[in-house]
Amino acid sequence: MRFEYTYRNTGLDLWQLSMYYTYGSMVGVCNVIFTAAVWVLTVIRWGEAGDFMRIALVFGCLLFPVIQPFMVYQKARRQAAGITQDTKIAFDERGIHIAVGEERSDLDWRSIKRVSKKPTLIIIFSDTTHGFILPNRILGTEREKFYQFVASKIKK
């Protein structure tokens, strides 16, 4: 079996990756708790708050659900703008074959640490912090078949 894709990650792909890992961690839990607490505080204290306090409460209510994702997206867009060439990647029985411009690399399945399946992405980790982001727009209808193939190769 062989899967081949040519793609270039976008700012949206990198943003989704960041958001999955931020809100799937303890940081995300703290963000949710803080936001809920500020919303409750806003509802309870709005009537007696002065102008400065109301501005601070509105800012607190928007910080993690709106401002942080927007800032992360801006950073992801800048990162994606630095990607100037398409990635050609192929997966087969022998491993993963990558080509970016003139550079070529081959990884055997033993060097792949894990695969992570998110609702809009599949991430294949070559170590604890590096990997390949394959968004659903690239995988299309092969998503499940591709995931099963990669997962079966990593377990061996």
Side-chain angles (χ1 to χ4, degrees), residues 50-111:
D51 290 341
F52 178 76
M53 187 53 118
R54 285 183 177 183
I55 291 169
L57 289 170
V58 168
F59 179 77
C61 288
L62 297 176
L63 182 60
F64 294 118
V66 177
I67 297 168
Q68 181 191 30
F70 177 76
M71 298 301 286
V72 170
Y73 179 71
Q74 293 303 317
K75 181 181 176 189
R77 243 181 39 167
R78 285 190 302 275
Q79 277 183 298
I83 302 171
T84 58
Q85 296 178 317
D86 286 349
T87 299
K88 294 178 182 169
I89 191 164
F91 302 83
D92 63 22
E93 299 296 326
R94 292 177 293 142
I96 302 173
H97 315 284
I98 308 107
V100 179
E102 297 299 315
E103 288 188 48
R104 301 206 183 311
S105 181
D106 295 307
L107 300 172
D108 62 20
W109 289 112
R110 290 186 313 265
S111 67

Side-chain angles (χ1 to χ4, degrees), residues 117-118 121-122 136 140-147:
K117 185 173 153 185
K118 304 295 180 194
L121 308 167
I122 291 180
N136 288 352
T141 59
E142 292 183 326
R143 176 183 159 84
E144 286 304 317
K145 195 171 167 184
F146 172 77
Y147 177 76

